[in-house]
Structure formats: C-alpha cells, structure tokens
Amino acid sequence: MAKLTVKEVETFIKSSREAIERGESNKFKKSDGNGLTLIVAKNCEPFWMLRYTLGSKRSEISLGKYELLKLKEARSKSYELLKQIDAGIDPIQVRKLNKAAPLNTITDLFLDWQKGNEKRLKNPQIPQRVFKKDILPLIGKYQVKTVGPLDIKKVIETVADSNRPTIANDVLLYLKQLFNHGMKLGVATSNPAIPFSLNDAGGMEKGRDRALSFAEVEQFFRIMREQDEAISRENYLAFALLVCLGVRKLELIQAQWKEFDLESATWSLPAERSKTSNGYTIPLAPTIVEWLKELKIRSCGSPYVFPSRRRAKNPFMGTDTLNRALSKLFGIDPGKEKQPDNVMGDIAHFTVHDLRRTCRSLLAELKVPPHIAERCLNHKLRGVEGIYDKYDYFDERKDALEQLASRLVEYINVHH
C-alpha cells in the first residue's frame, strides 16, 4: 500500500466532511499503512488511530487530533509505539499507568516499581532500604529521562568507595531493574545502567567462609558486655539467639510473639517469613526460653519480639540496627567522618550473617551429624537424600540445639 501524501490527506478530510454533511455516512477512514489510520467522523475533529495486534488481541489507540499531529508527526509517533508493541508492551496499559500517576522522577519510578513487586519479592524492604540510603540521596530527584550512564557511574562508585561491594552490586542490579520498568511504562527511552557490570560495582563476590570459634564467641560476648553503653540488652540477646539458633536475621527481628509457645518451648516460623518458603518449627532450649521471657517483658506489650525503638514505618527492629552495632565494635560507622575505636581486639572481622555460619560450624564441632546440623539451619537436604528424606528430625534438632545452648550459656549468661 502506497503511503499517503499531505495533499491526499487534506483532500480526504475535505471530501469526508462534505459527505458527512450530505448524510452519506457518519465516519470515514483512510489508512497510511502499518495500522496508522486517519479518521474523519461526525461531531469531532479528524484524528489519528493506530491499530495493532499484541498476542492474539487486536486493539486500537488514539494518537491525537490531525490539527495537532500532522502526517509526519503521526508516523513518527506510530513507529515509536510499534517498537513498544514488538517488545511486548501494550501502549494502552502504559497510557493508563501514566494517567494514574505521572512518573517524573527516579523516586516516582522506584515507588511504582516497588508497588508492583511487593508480592513477588520475599523481602521488599531490602530494595527499599538500598534505594533510600544509596540511590535517593544522589539521583532520587532527577528526572527519569535526564539520567545517563555518568549518573549511574557516580552512584555505584560512591557505594563501592564506601567499602560495601555487595551493596554496590545490589545497587547496580536495582538500577537495571528500575530502568527496565521505566522502559516498559514508556517513561524511559533507554536503560543507562545496562553498560555496567559487576566489575564496575563491587566485583564478583566470593562465597564467605567466616565462622567464629567457641573462644571467639566467648570473647565477642565479653566485649559486648564491656560496651554495654553501645550494645543494648536487646541487641545482646538478639546476637545470642542468632548464634544459638542459626536463624536468619530478618526471621528473628520480624518475629512476633504469636509464633512462640514458650510452655512447649517451640517457635513456629511461618512459611511466608521463611526464605525457603517452608513452615518450620524450631525447638527452644531452656536457656533460650528464659531469654525470650526477658524479651517478652522488655517488649512492653508489643506483638513483636524486637519492637522498633523509635517512630518508624516498620513496627519491628530496624534492619540495619544489628549490622551497625556490630560494625561500630570493629571501628566502622558508615557515613560518619569520625570513626569509633575498634574494640574487637584480635577477632577477625565478621558480619551478622556470619553468626548463622558460626552456629553451623559449632554444631559440627559438637559432633552433630551433618544432616541434622543442616536441618537445624532449615537447609534442604541435597541430592537423593533431600528428595526421599522428608523426616523433620525435630527431636534430633532439639538435642543438637540444646547441646549448643548448654555450651554457649557460660559465655552469654555472665553478669557484671
């Protein structure tokens, strides 16, 4: 089909209007090819319509009035929309989203991305925390279409220079996802984060193998008692529970009292809060039950074991609280010019998550069979054994964790 000329368009509009006045029809259409159609109808100005097929569904979308969108501009706009359609993006849905909430800044785009991923992400507060701390201060107020590769470079280098390679990699990942989302919505024409790889951020991450020995655990808790002005009793007990139970930090700090039965000495971790998506019952040693009873009193009626100590969006302990407390003991306070003293002596650096590995390592030192130790950490058994062995090992886990708690209690239950 031959393309229309400007003269043909003007002639078509004129003849169609005359035919409508004569009552011959209420609507006339003229195709320019590729789904672009000019429509002249009764009681409205001539306008452009793009017809397209996405999947098996045929649709059409109005591009604008001819008076404001001449032939050349209409073709250009239709080509842009056809590119989106070829990529599987429905321009009608994009238009609805843009009408519902204009996404102008990077912050606007992030909030929209987060809203769409709340159900998909296991821990949506993690990207929220990364965005708030490391992306928002640098480019949060920037217009989406003005952000280029140099802006992305500035963000990931700033984080990498703060000696947080893992977070730098996370920042790059979230920025790529963010701009892909923007392209789907039609508010970003490209993804400025695509040219960057892990080597430009935090580098390839090596698997960690840091675990504390029994002697280091004893020294760690002694140092925390000596630093009681910096380490609250709640933080102290949180670290004790992490070492003795081997649970993940978020599983602990988000725990609610309704999950615990202190009389039967069990903690029923619900599937929606477990990283493995499996409900899981954790046996509690007598010493741990006593710690929890103390925390129950300290929680002052809160439904959470570790309630937030200040007004915050989340009602439970901040996700960075334990990380910052531990970092300060090592003389590291991110974002502060003046760093605290390193009071950890000859203890090699470790992170909060390393306490989970410490639990596993100490169980091995106590001669707990590997498959029991793995189940204590709610790890799935590997290979054929994992497929066929569905036994929960509750009694065996109970014995193992009681052994560990009995060994560690002399290091933890020490008072001034």
Side-chain angles (χ1 to χ4, degrees):
M1 179 184 294
K3 293 288 185 180
L4 294 173
T5 64
V6 174
K7 185 175 181 180
E8 288 173 336
V9 168
E10 297 289 351
T11 301
F12 168 71
I13 292 174
K14 182 179 179 181
S15 61
S16 297
R17 282 173 168 168
E18 291 173 351
I20 289 172
E21 288 180 1
R22 293 193 298 268
E24 296 177 12
S25 177
N26 289 328
K27 181 186 289 186
F28 292 90
K29 303 176 182 178
K30 190 76 170 178
S31 175
D32 186 54
N34 292 326
L36 180 61
T37 304
L38 180 61
I39 297 177
V40 180
K42 187 176 182 180
N43 298 326
C44 69
E45 294 294 323
F47 64 94
W48 296 101
M49 182 75 73
L50 178 65
R51 297 181 176 183
Y52 63 94
T53 301
L54 188 59
S56 59
K57 181 182 178 182
R58 291 185 60 82
S59 304
E60 54 185 28
I61 183 171
S62 173
L63 303 186
K65 295 179 181 179
Y66 175 74
E67 180 183 342
L68 302 175
L69 205 66
K70 299 303 182 182
L71 179 60
K72 182 178 179 181
E73 290 81 6
R75 284 174 180 164
S76 177
K77 190 169 183 178
S78 70
Y79 290 153
E80 289 300 318
L81 291 181
L82 288 172
K83 287 181 183 178
Q84 290 185 23
I85 294 165
D86 286 341
I89 301 169
D90 190 340
I92 292 179
Q93 295 302 316
V94 171
R95 182 172 291 181
K96 287 180 179 178
L97 286 170
N98 289 339
K99 283 183 178 179
L103 307 177
N104 298 318
T105 68
I106 296 298
T107 299
D108 295 334
L109 184 60
F110 174 79
L111 293 175
D112 189 79
W113 174 85
Q114 183 187 39
K115 181 173 63 178
N117 284 278
E118 280 180 341
K119 294 182 178 179
R120 180 183 67 83
L121 295 174
K122 189 70 177 179
N123 296 298
Q125 71 274 12
I126 295 178
Q128 179 183 1
R129 183 173 74 246
V130 171
F131 178 81
K132 183 177 179 180
K133 184 174 182 179
D134 296 300
I135 300 175
L136 175 62
L138 294 173
I139 61 171
K141 295 182 180 180
Y142 284 24
Q143 296 291 306
V144 174
K145 292 183 179 180
T146 65
V147 175
L150 288 179
D151 300 306
I152 303 299
K153 184 173 184 287
K154 177 179 69 174
V155 175
I156 59 177
E157 285 184 348
T158 299
V159 181
D161 289 344
S162 67
N163 294 318
R164 293 177 296 149
T166 299
I167 302 300
N169 289 341
D170 289 343
V171 166
L172 178 57
L173 170 67
Y174 294 139
L175 285 171
K176 287 183 177 181
Q177 294 182 4
L178 196 59
F179 281 95
N180 279 342
H181 181 65
M183 291 176 68
K184 291 178 182 178
L185 299 182
V187 297
T189 56
S190 63
N191 189 329
I194 286 297
F196 298 93
S197 67
L198 295 182
N199 290 332
D200 300 305
M204 294 299 294
E205 298 176 39
K206 298 179 180 179
R208 291 184 59 85
D209 58 6
R210 177 74 170 104
L212 281 68
S213 65
F214 277 111
E216 287 179 313
V217 171
E218 179 181 14
Q219 188 178 354
F220 172 45
F221 281 93
R222 176 181 57 77
I223 291 170
M224 284 198 292
R225 289 193 300 274
E226 293 171 351
Q227 302 292 323
D228 57 357
E229 291 186 3
I231 300 293
S232 68
R233 179 64 177 170
E234 289 84 356
N235 284 359
Y236 185 90
L237 291 177
F239 284 123
L241 291 169
L242 290 173
V243 175
C244 291
L245 295 177
V247 294
R248 296 173 177 86
K249 180 187 69 174
L250 289 180
E251 292 172 346
L252 179 66
I253 67 173
Q254 295 177 2
Q256 298 188 49
W257 287 115
K258 65 182 181 181
E259 300 169 7
F260 292 84
D261 186 338
L262 298 184
E263 289 188 8
S264 63
T266 56
W267 172 12
S268 298
L269 183 64
E272 62 270 18
R273 291 208 311 105
S274 170
K275 188 175 181 180
T276 57
S277 299
N278 293 322
Y280 183 60
T281 301
I282 303 169
L284 305 172
T287 296
I288 291 176
V289 171
E290 292 305 311
W291 294 340
L292 288 167
K293 287 180 178 179
E294 179 183 343
L295 287 168
K296 180 79 170 177
I297 296 171
R298 290 178 175 275
S299 65
C300 300
S302 170
Y304 289 90
V305 179
F306 293 96
S308 175
R309 299 169 201 160
R310 60 187 64 162
R311 291 183 180 179
K313 181 178 180 181
N314 294 321
F316 47 82
M317 176 189 285
T319 52
D320 278 338
T321 299
L322 296 179
N323 303 64
R324 290 182 66 90
L326 182 57
S327 293
K328 287 180 181 179
L329 294 180
F330 280 107
I332 303 169
D333 193 357
K336 301 290 185 179
E337 291 186 9
K338 185 178 180 181
Q339 297 296 302
D341 295 331
N342 182 352
V343 297
M344 293 293 269
D346 58 356
I347 300 180
H349 185 270
F350 64 89
T351 67
V352 173
H353 189 70
D354 290 331
L355 297 179
R356 177 170 162 82
R357 191 178 301 104
T358 295
C359 177
R360 175 65 177 83
S361 177
L362 298 182
L363 287 171
E365 192 168 338
L366 292 172
K367 309 303 181 185
V368 173
H371 64 288
I372 303 299
E374 286 295 293
R375 289 302 299 139
C376 282
L377 269 65
N378 198 17
H379 281 164
K380 293 181 179 179
L381 299 180
R382 297 181 179 181
V384 175
E385 184 179 19
I387 295 174
Y388 292 103
D389 188 351
K390 301 302 181 183
Y391 179 54
D392 191 48
Y393 296 100
F394 180 87
D395 291 335
E396 292 85 349
R397 289 189 289 115
K398 183 173 184 290
D399 290 341
L401 292 175
E402 285 186 354
Q403 282 187 63
L404 181 59
S406 296
R407 178 68 184 275
L408 293 176
V409 68
E410 60 182 297
Y411 305 151
I412 299 172
N413 278 359
V414 179
H415 300 284
H416 295 292

